[in-house]
Amino acid sequence: MAKGSAKILVCGRFHAEALNWLKSQADVKHSSDSSPTPEDLAWAEGLLIRSKTAINKDLLDQAPNLKVVVTATSGFDHIDLEAAEKSGVSCYHVPETQSIAAAELTIMLMMAACRKFTLASSQLHKGDWQRELLLGKQLTGQSLGIVGLGRVGKEVAERALALGLKVSAFDPYIQEHDPSIPMLGFEELLRSSDIVTLHVPKTSKTRHM
């Protein structure tokens, strides 16, 4: 490691290959715990975190040398951006990284709900198969309302259309969108949809939506 390398504190679990690369570029300490110790914070110039590590005034006060925080998540509601700015700490996130995974999970959950997968799995494990209780619905032909047609919402819409769902969306911030997806008001979307999925950031306007 070259003299004067940045001191990076890694909090939480990360892939070994990624950690090995980072160690080739910087002086790295790795804490498997999401809550760093005061000693590690006093040492660190950079933090690599996930959502379980909250960046707030108390943590920042213990990290006088901290210059940058990178969260390996698309969301950043676990970071007090105002407190970080006052402390002169730059913060970064990775908004594109989980879009496809989140969209695939959304489709999986829709299928599981429509096909009563949880009940079927429970019956199977108990050895009490009652097929008449498992009559579900097929996704094809269902009306899907997507709240938030951003990075994840667009990926969900693409997969839903391929599966034959009728897709509409609500997003007051989207100016240009796929013309095959009607944009509706929020209440109208709720009334007209068989399934509703929400893909919005956690803000004061979306909290408890």
Side-chain angles (χ1 to χ4, degrees):
M1 184 58 56
K3 186 177 181 180
S5 296
K7 298 175 180 178
I8 307 298
L9 178 62
V10 178
C11 301
R13 294 185 296 108
F14 286 86
H15 196 281
E17 185 177 346
L19 288 176
N20 288 336
W21 178 87
L22 186 60
K23 289 175 181 177
S24 72
Q25 305 296 314
D27 187 2
V28 176
K29 283 188 178 182
H30 183 212
S31 171
S32 58
D33 194 330
S34 58
S35 299
T37 66
E39 293 77 16
D40 284 342
L41 287 173
W43 171 85
E45 296 174 333
L47 283 179
L48 177 60
I49 65 170
R50 294 189 184 277
S51 57
K52 288 185 178 181
T53 301
I55 304 299
N56 50 38
K57 184 179 183 303
D58 289 342
L59 181 146
L60 293 167
D61 286 345
Q62 299 177 69
N65 300 311
L66 190 63
K67 297 178 178 65
V68 62
V69 172
V70 177
T71 179
T73 59
S74 56
F76 48 86
D77 51 276
H78 53 293
I79 299 177
D80 186 334
L81 295 176
E82 184 177 351
E85 184 178 11
K86 288 181 179 178
S87 298
V89 176
S90 299
C91 298
Y92 300 89
H93 68 135
V94 284
E96 302 290 346
T97 186
Q98 301 295 340
S99 298
I100 292 177
E104 290 180 351
L105 177 62
T106 300
I107 297 296
M108 185 194 75
L109 291 173
M110 285 194 286
M111 288 182 170
C114 287
R115 291 300 184 178
K116 300 186 179 181
F117 173 80
T118 301
L119 178 59
S121 178
S122 176
Q123 287 187 8
L124 186 63
H125 282 85
K126 292 178 181 178
D128 182 25
W129 187 256
Q130 300 183 56
R131 185 176 180 181
E132 65 277 6
L133 299 179
L134 302 176
L135 181 63
K137 297 179 180 179
Q138 63 183 24
L139 285 181
T140 300
Q142 296 288 314
S143 297
L144 172 65
I146 300 176
V147 179
L149 201 60
R151 289 179 294 271
V152 177
K154 287 178 182 178
E155 295 289 349
V156 171
E158 180 180 331
R159 287 155 178 76
L161 289 168
L163 289 169
L165 283 88
K166 295 175 287 188
V167 179
S168 59
F170 165 76
D171 193 324
Y173 303 102
I174 294 293
Q175 301 299 322
E176 297 182 4
H177 65 280
D178 186 336
S180 66
I181 303 175
M183 300 298 287
L184 306 178
F186 184 61
E187 297 295 335
E188 184 182 3
L189 180 139
L190 295 181
R191 287 194 299 267
S192 62
S193 300
D194 300 307
I195 304 167
V196 175
T197 180
L198 289 83
H199 302 285
V200 297
K202 182 181 178 182
T203 67
S204 59
K205 292 183 178 180
T206 62
R207 184 174 174 81
H208 300 308
M209 177 182 279

